[in-house]
């Protein structure tokens, strides 16, 4: 006859198990949504019918953000969700290690960004200028640049003249474009009285004297404006990063506790 002591052995914590499951199923569904949006965007641009066109864009394709973030969220959410539900220690350990690697990469990136601030600024300048060249090549990239310039009230990486890098906006004599010596509408100063955006407000504006340009466009570059925004919102940004880091550490600890509980229960079963 089996002893009643068998039922009083260590058990897997249901609270931890279903908390990890519930949190990760939301995470997994968000990953699916991000991947779905990314695939839909690529489908609309014809990328899925011509995979080689993924590398054709000279600048940054914002869809990659959805695909990479969605892919990471999908993998993490799947491992955490199924690992907790099925009490699969292999998936839970994978979840912990993967989350730990992400945390380590974020920590390393933060330290390097602080130590090599000038190098980061140069890379940001290079990144923005490279995307200025490809402004008309991709509608998603164009919308991203317009949003950035409107939000930070800036123009170009370090000034409006950075738009000389774009074949449609440069001031060379050989440029036949109507947008010659102009800037995108997102560089223009906003008139609160205007309900409809004037998409031609940046035409020929750089042909005017520098002092006159300030009447029509934002002349500050996006790199210094981003630095200013970061300094003004340092507490909020730091709080967000610390919050994300604490959530990651909390997730790793919960997963490790669940693994320990599962292994302890299995070990106790072997000796009963």
């Amino acid at each position: 006859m089996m002893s009643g002591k068998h039922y009083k052995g260590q058990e897997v914590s249901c609270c931890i198990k279903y908390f990890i499951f519930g949190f990760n199923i939301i995470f997994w569904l968000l990953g699916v949504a991000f991947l779905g949006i990314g695939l839909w965007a690529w489908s609309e641009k014809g990328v899925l019918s011509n995979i080689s066109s993924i590398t054709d864009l000279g600048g940054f394709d914002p869809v990659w953000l959805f695909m990479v973030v969605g892919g990471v969220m999908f993998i993490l959410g799947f491992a955490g969700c199924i690992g907790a539900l099925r009490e699969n220690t292999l998936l839970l350990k994978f979840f912990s290690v993967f989350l730990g690697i992400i945390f380590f990469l974020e920590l390393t990136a933060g330290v390097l960004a602080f130590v090599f601030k000038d190098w980061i600024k140069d890379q940001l300048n290079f990144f923005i200028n490279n995307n200025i060249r490809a402004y008309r090549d991709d509608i998603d990239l164009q919308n991203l640049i317009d949003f950035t310039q409107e939000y930070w009230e800036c123009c170009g990486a370090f000034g409006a003249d950075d738009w000389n890098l774009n074949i449609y906006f440069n001031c060379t004599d050989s440029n036949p474009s109507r947008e010659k010596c102009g800037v995108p509408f997102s560089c223009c100063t906003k008139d609160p009285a205007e309900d409809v955006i004037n998409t031609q407000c940046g035409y020929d504006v750089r042909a005017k004297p520098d002092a006159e340009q300030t009447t029509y466009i934002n002349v500050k570059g996006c790199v210094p404006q981003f630095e200013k925004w970061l300094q003004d919102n340092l507490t909020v940004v730091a709080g967000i990063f610390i919050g994300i880091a604490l959530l990651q550490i909390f997730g790793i600890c919960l997963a490790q506790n669940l693994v320990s509980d599962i292994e302890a229960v299995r070990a106790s079963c072997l000796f009963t």
Side-chain angles (χ1 to χ4, degrees):
M1 183 180 291
M2 293 181 66
S3 171
K5 293 181 180 178
H6 173 72
Y7 299 100
K8 296 180 181 179
Q10 185 172 356
E11 296 180 355
V12 175
S13 172
C14 288
C15 290
I16 295 177
K17 175 179 175 178
Y18 289 109
F19 181 84
I20 293 176
F21 170 76
F23 179 80
N24 279 283
I25 198 167
I26 296 172
F27 210 61
W28 179 74
L29 290 172
L30 286 173
V32 171
F34 270 66
L35 287 172
I37 292 170
L39 290 172
W40 170 79
W42 270 349
S43 175
E44 288 293 302
K45 293 192 290 188
V47 171
L48 296 182
S49 58
N50 182 18
I51 299 298
S52 62
S53 63
I54 291 177
T55 58
D56 290 344
L57 181 63
F60 171 70
D61 187 350
V63 176
W64 277 111
L65 274 178
F66 286 91
M67 298 301 292
V68 172
V69 173
V72 171
M73 291 176 70
F74 179 88
I75 294 170
L76 267 177
F78 177 83
C81 178
I82 303 301
L85 185 65
R86 304 297 298 174
E87 297 182 6
N88 187 310
T89 55
L90 182 63
L91 283 176
L92 287 171
K93 287 177 180 178
F94 172 80
F95 172 82
S96 298
V97 171
F98 198 2
L99 201 57
I101 291 172
I102 293 172
F103 173 75
F104 176 75
L105 290 175
E106 289 172 349
L107 185 63
T108 304
V111 172
L112 291 176
F114 180 77
V115 174
F116 301 104
K117 287 184 286 188
D118 291 337
W119 182 83
I120 294 295
K121 187 187 294 186
D122 291 340
Q123 292 304 307
L124 186 58
N125 179 37
F126 174 79
F127 176 78
I128 294 174
N129 285 337
N130 194 45
N131 286 298
I132 283 174
R133 293 186 182 93
Y135 176 75
R136 291 294 189 204
D137 297 346
D138 181 83
I139 187 62
D140 293 322
L141 174 61
Q142 183 174 312
N143 289 334
L144 178 63
I145 292 174
D146 286 334
F147 170 79
T148 301
Q149 294 190 144
E150 286 182 320
Y151 183 79
W152 279 312
E153 296 181 345
C154 58
C155 194
F158 282 96
D161 285 338
D162 288 333
W163 283 97
N164 272 326
L165 296 170
N166 187 279
I167 59 173
Y168 299 101
F169 293 99
N170 68 61
C171 293
T172 57
D173 294 334
S174 58
N175 182 8
S177 171
R178 178 62 189 88
E179 296 175 310
K180 173 183 176 180
C181 241
V183 292
F185 72 91
S186 52
C187 285
C188 297
T189 55
K190 297 295 179 289
D191 184 354
E194 287 185 353
D195 295 327
V196 180
I197 297 175
N198 178 11
T199 56
Q200 298 181 358
C201 60
Y203 283 14
D204 304 316
V205 72
R206 288 190 298 114
K208 303 178 186 295
D210 291 346
E212 194 176 341
Q213 290 181 22
T214 57
T215 307
Y216 302 97
I217 63 171
N218 300 304
V219 294
K220 294 179 180 178
C222 291
V223 173
Q225 286 293 88
F226 173 71
E227 288 181 312
K228 182 179 180 298
W229 177 87
L230 204 56
Q231 290 172 356
D232 293 342
N233 299 274
L234 191 58
T235 304
V236 176
V237 174
I240 291 172
F241 276 99
I242 291 171
I244 293 172
L246 289 175
L247 278 176
Q248 289 172 327
I249 294 170
F250 182 62
I252 293 169
C253 291
L254 280 181
Q256 288 299 318
N257 283 338
L258 186 56
V259 169
S260 298
D261 284 355
I262 293 169
E263 290 177 342
V265 169
R266 289 177 181 173
S268 66
C269 290
L270 293 174
F271 294 104
T272 53

